[in-house]
Amino acid sequence: MDQEKIWTALEIERRGLADLLESLPEAEWERPSLCDGARGWRVRDVAAHLALAARVNLAWGLVEFVRARGDFDRMVHDSAVRHARLPIREIVAQVRESAGSRRRAPSTKPLDPLFDALVHGQDITVPLGIERVMPLVPARACATHIWERGFPFYPQRRLRGLRLVATDVDWAVGEGDVVEGPIQALLLLLSGRLAALPNLTGAGTAALAARLP
């Protein structure tokens, strides 16, 4: 994808996420998300993280990194939890306002915010039983990006010995036992989400659970 197509896809995703968040009953904002993890991420925290996406800068990042004592995961989590104290309507408004923004967090590439929007959309909707389909071309571009990027998921190391093959778009990476499924499920797998497993098949799937966080 060229940069203009990336920004267009990101704007569509962010507007869709704002509409989705606006439609959720308040009680569902307190439900656990897919990125629950050791520290716990509610739907509200994921929404706040998305709201922050176009508002951060280098100075903010340095302050938050020091505040988190050099722990990147803690920085991302804690900043989201603090931002989640805002009223729901304000979080939704910020996600909507971010739709047309081309501002990126320091050291990130244009595909990183698109990846965030696609995957965090699933983090919100899957636990709530809401179907949200990823567009194929943006999902494929993000899958290639995350496979090649390394930090913070290191998929080439974590999924060594496996060949990932999409069944709905032309995309395949890796060597070894096959793991196949929709590109949406493979993108979740690359980002360490166990929720991807029911939608994947192939000889390599037996090894997957042990390789995810």
Side-chain angles (χ1 to χ4, degrees), residues 110-130:
L111 278 168
D112 286 316
L114 179 56
F115 163 78
D116 256 15
L118 291 173
V119 171
H120 287 318
Q122 301 300 308
D123 288 335
I124 291 169
T125 57
V126 171
L128 299 180
I130 299 171

Side-chain angles (χ1 to χ4, degrees), residues 44-91:
R44 188 185 194 104
D45 302 322
V46 178
H49 175 70
L50 289 166
L52 279 169
R55 307 174 75 86
V56 302
N57 55 38
L58 182 58
W60 177 92
L62 290 173
V63 169
E64 291 295 326
F65 194 63
V66 171
R67 195 173 189 177
R69 301 177 185 176
D71 185 325
F72 176 80
D73 289 338
R74 181 178 179 181
M75 177 190 76
V76 174
H77 170 270
D78 290 358
S79 63
V81 170
R82 284 191 294 271
H83 203 68
R85 295 169 185 161
L86 292 174
I88 287 174
R89 65 181 180 279
E90 191 167 343
I91 295 172

Side-chain angles (χ1 to χ4, degrees), residues 13-198:
E13 286 303 309
R14 283 175 167 169
R15 291 193 188 283
L17 285 167
D19 291 343
L20 167 70
L21 291 166
E22 194 169 45
S23 73
L24 293 181
E26 187 169 348
E28 293 193 337
W29 281 67
E30 304 306 319
R31 295 268 299 273
S33 74
L34 279 192
C35 50
D36 185 30
R39 292 189 173 96
W41 282 73
R42 301 166 297 171
V43 167
R44 188 185 194 104
D45 302 322
V46 178
H49 175 70
L50 289 166
L52 279 169
R55 307 174 75 86
V56 302
N57 55 38
L58 182 58
W60 177 92
L62 290 173
V63 169
E64 291 295 326
F65 194 63
V66 171
R67 195 173 189 177
R69 301 177 185 176
D71 185 325
F72 176 80
D73 289 338
R74 181 178 179 181
M75 177 190 76
V76 174
H77 170 270
D78 290 358
S79 63
V81 170
R82 284 191 294 271
H83 203 68
R85 295 169 185 161
L86 292 174
I88 287 174
R89 65 181 180 279
E90 191 167 343
I91 295 172
V92 172
Q94 289 180 0
V95 174
R96 196 177 301 282
E97 287 167 8
S98 76
S101 174
R102 299 192 174 190
R103 187 174 184 175
R104 293 183 279 114
S107 81
T108 62
K109 304 295 183 183
L111 278 168
D112 286 316
L114 179 56
F115 163 78
D116 256 15
L118 291 173
V119 171
H120 287 318
Q122 301 300 308
D123 288 335
I124 291 169
T125 57
V126 171
L128 299 180
I130 299 171
E131 184 178 11
R132 182 173 176 80
V133 178
M134 289 185 191
L136 294 180
V137 173
R140 177 176 62 184
C142 288
T144 298
H145 173 63
I146 294 303
W147 176 259
E148 295 174 348
R149 188 168 194 255
F151 179 83
F153 303 109
Y154 301 103
Q156 291 193 44
R157 182 177 67 193
R158 183 163 39 83
L159 301 173
R160 185 178 291 116
L162 299 175
R163 180 161 178 77
L164 312 183
V165 180
T167 54
D168 53 356
V169 68
D170 183 17
W171 186 85
V173 295
E175 297 293 337
D177 291 337
V178 170
V179 173
E180 60 181 6
I183 192 66
Q184 177 166 322
L186 292 172
L187 186 57
L188 291 179
L189 172 66
L190 293 172
S191 59
R193 270 65 172 178
L194 283 166
L197 299 186

